[in-house]
Amino acid sequence: MVCGEEKVILDEEVFAVILALAIVASSIGIALTWRPFGERFVAIGLLDESCKIGVYPKTAALNQSLKLCIYVYNHMGKPIAYQVMYKVALNTSQLPTTSAPSVAKPLGKWLGALDNDRDEQFFAFVRIPWDRGLLGRNISLVFELWVFNTTTGSWMYSGVWGHIWVEVVG
Amino acid sequence: MKFIAVLLIVAMIVPQVADPCSPDAISKVVRGLEELSQSYVNVTSAVRYADEWLKACGEGNYTEAVKAYTNVSEEVMRLSIFRDSSRLGMLLYKALTTLVFVLIPIAIYLLLPRVYLYLWYSSKKRWFVVKRK
């Protein structure tokens, strides 16, 4: 402060900084209020019979029923109708990709509806098909997530799936 | 009166869907839920009914599916009454929030020096002024 200058109780620079912070915070607040919905996606998780990640079956007998837990999550910004399809892939080429479902035929399905930002867990009892040719082979239990598309009026593969490998024993 | 009108509409719609698990039926309900959701209507109850309905379809329980389909159709119809008011309510909420955010820097600009001065004087009102020797 220069000698003779009028003394200001509230420092002008401090006041300017506080005001600038308030303007920035308000701008962010307004932008967040009117922001469009972010990335839209659905997710599926394959869990063990305790609905946890970890203890998956390594082997399975023919026609044996396995208890697994399926987790589905919706972040599409709207309610969805979903379908989880169970298939058995005999090798890696039969596994689904992010753009195409598995070529194997569906052996089971579970349907449901989920609101936006909601998830669901449910038990799935799946059976290894009775085929002696599978004995001793490693097969993959595949769970694909399909979502109902109201534009086309049909079920559409979402591009996400879960799978575990098991050895078929006698 | 509104309730009777809703019942009549439901009675007209429900018999038209022969199979409650057909893609047409699913499409109709899911589209209804999407439209309500985009109008900011709380569709939690309708989605719960839809979940029960689709699960019944998945289990092949036709009787339960018909019952659940009627429930979800009625719920979608009931909620559609709130579509306009919910949309307007959300718009008002966003407009008011924006107004509050706009007013905060102005309030700080106008009130902060006054409040600061008031506090400054209040904290020093018991002070004695002594001439420096």
Side-chain angles (χ1 to χ4, degrees):
Chain A
M1 184 180 291
V2 183
C3 187
E5 192 180 320
E6 191 182 338
K7 186 174 180 179
V8 182
I9 294 172
L10 176 59
D11 189 273
E12 280 181 8
E13 284 174 8
V14 173
F15 183 54
V17 168
I18 293 170
L19 203 57
L21 286 174
I23 290 168
V24 169
S26 290
S27 307
I28 291 169
I30 292 167
L32 288 174
T33 305
W34 294 96
R35 76 187 187 282
F37 194 82
E39 191 188 351
R40 292 164 198 270
F41 63 90
V42 283
I44 184 171
L46 186 53
L47 307 167
D48 64 15
E49 59 181 6
S50 316
C51 284
K52 288 178 180 161
I53 297 172
V55 192
Y56 295 103
K58 298 257 187 297
T59 58
L62 285 177
N63 217 24
Q64 183 195 342
S65 181
L66 292 175
K67 185 184 177 188
L68 293 165
C69 186
I70 309 282
Y71 168 88
V72 181
Y73 173 64
N74 171 26
H75 190 74
M76 294 292 281
K78 59 184 181 183
I80 58 158
Y82 70 85
Q83 182 174 188
V84 175
M85 271 193 202
Y86 164 57
K87 297 175 178 177
V88 169
L90 302 177
N91 48 51
T92 48
S93 66
Q94 286 191 357
L95 284 178
T97 63
T98 50
S99 55
S102 168
V103 291
K105 68 171 184 180
L107 300 171
K109 63 179 180 182
W110 297 266
L111 280 82
L114 270 181
D115 203 353
N116 180 47
D117 270 340
R118 290 283 183 274
D119 58 56
E120 191 180 6
Q121 285 180 6
F122 57 88
F123 289 113
F125 295 89
V126 295
R127 207 168 276 280
I128 308 298
W130 181 262
D131 181 354
R132 287 202 173 275
L134 295 178
L135 275 173
R137 286 182 67 173
N138 275 320
I139 59 166
S140 183
L141 312 181
V142 179
F143 297 86
E144 294 169 350
L145 181 59
W146 291 61
V147 176
F148 195 84
N149 185 334
T150 49
T151 314
T152 57
S154 59
W155 292 100
M156 218 175 76
Y157 174 54
S158 67
V160 290
W161 79 96
H163 71 264
I164 53 165
W165 288 94
V166 290
E167 187 190 351
V168 183
V169 291
Chain B
M1 199 63 190
K2 263 182 185 172
F3 182 69
I4 295 166
V6 167
L7 279 182
L8 281 172
I9 293 166
V10 171
M12 283 189 295
I13 289 172
V14 172
Q16 286 172 9
V17 183
D19 179 8
C21 303
S22 67
D24 278 352
I26 298 173
S27 192
K28 196 175 278 181
V29 171
V30 177
R31 196 178 297 127
L33 288 173
E34 282 179 5
E35 284 169 10
L36 287 173
S37 173
Q38 277 156 13
S39 300
Y40 305 105
V41 178
N42 184 353
V43 290
T44 309
S45 57
V47 172
R48 199 176 57 242
Y49 283 131
D51 190 50
E52 287 169 10
W53 160 54
L54 289 169
K55 279 185 172 46
C57 287
E59 289 159 9
N61 189 341
Y62 187 81
T63 318
E64 193 59 38
V66 170
K67 203 173 123 189
Y69 179 74
T70 311
N71 285 342
V72 70
S73 301
E74 282 176 8
E75 192 65 6
V76 168
M77 284 289 179
R78 189 184 71 80
L79 292 175
S80 61
I81 296 166
F82 304 109
R83 188 182 295 178
D84 292 338
S85 57
S86 290
R87 193 194 291 267
L88 189 68
M90 181 52 79
L91 197 67
L92 274 175
Y93 168 76
K94 284 188 172 182
L96 280 174
T97 310
T98 306
L99 189 68
V100 168
F101 278 126
V102 168
L103 288 176
I104 287 172
I106 297 170
I108 286 175
Y109 178 75
L110 294 174
L111 297 178
L112 184 67
R114 287 167 175 77
V115 171
Y116 186 82
L117 273 180
Y118 173 78
L119 293 173
W120 193 85
Y121 282 122
S122 301
S123 67
K124 291 171 176 58
K125 69 182 175 186
R126 289 172 194 273
W127 283 25
F128 293 103
V129 179
V130 180
K131 193 174 181 181
R132 190 183 281 178
K133 291 176 182 174

